Amino acid sequence: MKIKFASFCLALATLLPSVIQAADLKFGLGIADDHPLAIGARKFADLVKERSAGRLNVATYSSNRLGSDPQMQQALQAGVQQMMLGPPSNLVGVVRDFAVFDLPFTITNYKEADALLDGRTGALLFQKLEGAGLVGLAYWETGFREVTNSKRPITKAEDLAGLKIRTMQSPVFLESFKALGANAVPMPFTEVYTALETRAIDAQENPVGIIQSAKINEVQKYLSLTNHVYNPSVVMASKKWWDGLPEADRAIVRGAAQEVAGLQRKLVRDEAVKVLQQLKQEGMEINEIPAAELALIKQKTLPVVQKYSEKLDPAVLAAAKADLAEVSVSGKAQ
């Protein structure tokens, strides 16, 4: 009996590490299942499973099933959740310099976005993240943010005045819309649809893919293409979990996240035009803003940009300036 029991214990000890490795790794995101971010997450999970020969099983949880973005971020820091996808605005509380992505009208096109994410700026921000118990794996994309509301088309700065608009819980967002005369209200995204439906708020701002996937068009009439902020989405891991991974597995996870980044960004950009057409067909009134009026809107937010730029690490600002300068130079060369 003793020999059999000892053999059983030895077999169990041999099997246990593989059981733990094969356990589901929780990857949470706040977006709906049909959004390009969720599609990217599933592709990432497939790549990790394939390249680890099934040892690493990534289970994706969309639509805030693991909690809100701040709750998931805390779960990563505590080591009870392995990975998540979230906006930079929620990282500002642990690494202030992620606010560089919240500054309105700083990034004006996709080339500039890619330059910052894939250049010095993105790398420097990921270095800072590890001190907060998080590991940056890749930058995916949500897109340029636009304003929807139930009152009127936004064609000039004055049209924003008095609108009760939901923003992310970011001081830069709050102050930017206050500078435009709007009544900015911080609110978790999970509460936005009901607040719009009951007219507790008049407006919200998000990329068009989220406007569609969250069915915002059911409770909002007007969509104005402000392009006021570009939103990446950060794929990150718990440092407590990451530090326990073998180097080969880290390479698999990081490599898959970065490979999907290019595919996922392209999918968001390709889908944006289609989504606008679909929203229009479903009854939304969509308008662009004249360049002169958009310049006036930008001018009103400059004091906010200046205020929060001064709070950022000069090294981050210098990196961003250098990354954007390379885009400008390559554009002139063409």
Side-chain angles (χ1 to χ4, degrees), residues 2-296:
K2 288 182 180 178
I3 293 172
K4 286 183 178 179
F5 182 71
S7 299
F8 171 76
C9 289
L10 181 61
L12 183 62
T14 304
L15 177 65
L16 198 55
S18 63
V19 172
I20 293 172
Q21 286 282 359
D24 283 347
L25 302 172
K26 295 178 181 176
F27 183 8
L29 52 155
I31 222 78
D33 252 345
D34 59 350
H35 189 276
L37 283 172
I39 295 169
R42 293 193 292 273
K43 175 65 174 176
F44 165 75
D46 290 343
L47 287 176
V48 169
K49 185 172 184 178
E50 176 189 333
R51 292 171 184 178
S52 68
R55 286 182 301 99
L56 300 174
N57 264 339
V58 178
T60 62
Y61 296 83
S62 56
S63 301
N64 291 114
R65 282 184 289 158
L66 295 181
S68 65
D69 289 328
Q71 288 169 334
M72 288 193 288
Q73 188 172 301
Q74 290 170 3
L76 260 65
Q77 290 172 301
V80 297
Q81 180 178 325
Q82 289 76 33
M83 288 171 282
M84 71 169 287
L85 191 61
S89 299
N90 286 323
L91 291 170
V92 172
V94 293
V95 178
R96 179 187 293 177
D97 298 302
F98 271 95
V100 71
F101 293 117
D102 290 347
L103 300 176
F105 303 105
T106 301
I107 300 172
T108 61
N109 57 60
Y110 290 129
K111 284 187 177 180
E112 291 179 350
D114 289 341
L116 263 66
L117 299 180
D118 301 331
R120 304 167 183 83
T121 311
L124 182 54
L125 290 171
F126 272 178
Q127 287 175 20
K128 291 172 173 282
L129 203 54
E130 294 204 20
L134 300 165
V135 177
L137 301 177
Y139 292 99
W140 294 3
E141 178 172 293
T142 314
F144 282 96
R145 300 180 78 86
E146 323 291 0
V147 174
T148 73
N149 81 97
S150 58
K151 299 285 188 182
R152 54 186 172 265
I154 307 301
T155 60
K156 55 186 182 299
E158 289 75 13
D159 292 329
L160 286 158
L163 284 182
K164 195 170 185 181
I165 183 169
R166 178 267 176 182
T167 74
M168 287 193 289
Q169 293 162 305
S170 156
V172 184
F173 275 77
L174 292 170
E175 291 192 34
S176 295
F177 279 99
K178 285 178 182 177
L180 293 166
N183 181 7
V185 180
M187 181 185 294
F189 187 66
T190 49
E191 300 173 15
V192 171
Y193 185 96
T194 300
L196 292 169
E197 186 177 33
T198 60
R199 299 299 175 93
I201 55 175
D202 306 311
Q204 66 84 53
E205 44 85 46
N206 258 302
V208 294
I210 293 180
I211 291 168
Q212 182 192 51
S213 65
K215 302 187 187 302
I216 298 296
N217 57 303
E218 294 180 350
V219 288
Q220 296 271 267
K221 177 70 173 175
Y222 304 102
L223 167 57
S224 301
L225 302 178
T226 51
N227 279 18
H228 53 279
V229 167
Y230 167 82
N231 255 177
S233 197
V234 184
V235 185
M236 61 191 116
S238 162
K239 192 170 189 302
K240 287 186 177 180
W241 167 70
W242 187 258
D243 287 347
L245 273 184
E247 189 60 42
D249 286 349
R250 290 186 197 175
I252 288 171
V253 173
R254 192 188 296 275
Q258 293 181 350
E259 182 175 325
V260 170
L263 301 172
Q264 191 275 333
R265 289 186 213 171
K266 184 177 187 306
L267 183 58
V268 168
R269 295 167 193 185
D270 290 346
E271 285 288 304
V273 176
K274 298 176 186 176
V275 168
L276 283 173
Q277 291 173 345
Q278 290 168 0
L279 290 172
K280 189 173 183 178
Q281 289 170 2
E282 292 170 10
M284 283 200 101
E285 290 189 20
I286 300 172
N287 71 281
E288 295 187 6
I289 301 173
E293 293 296 338
L294 200 57
L296 291 174

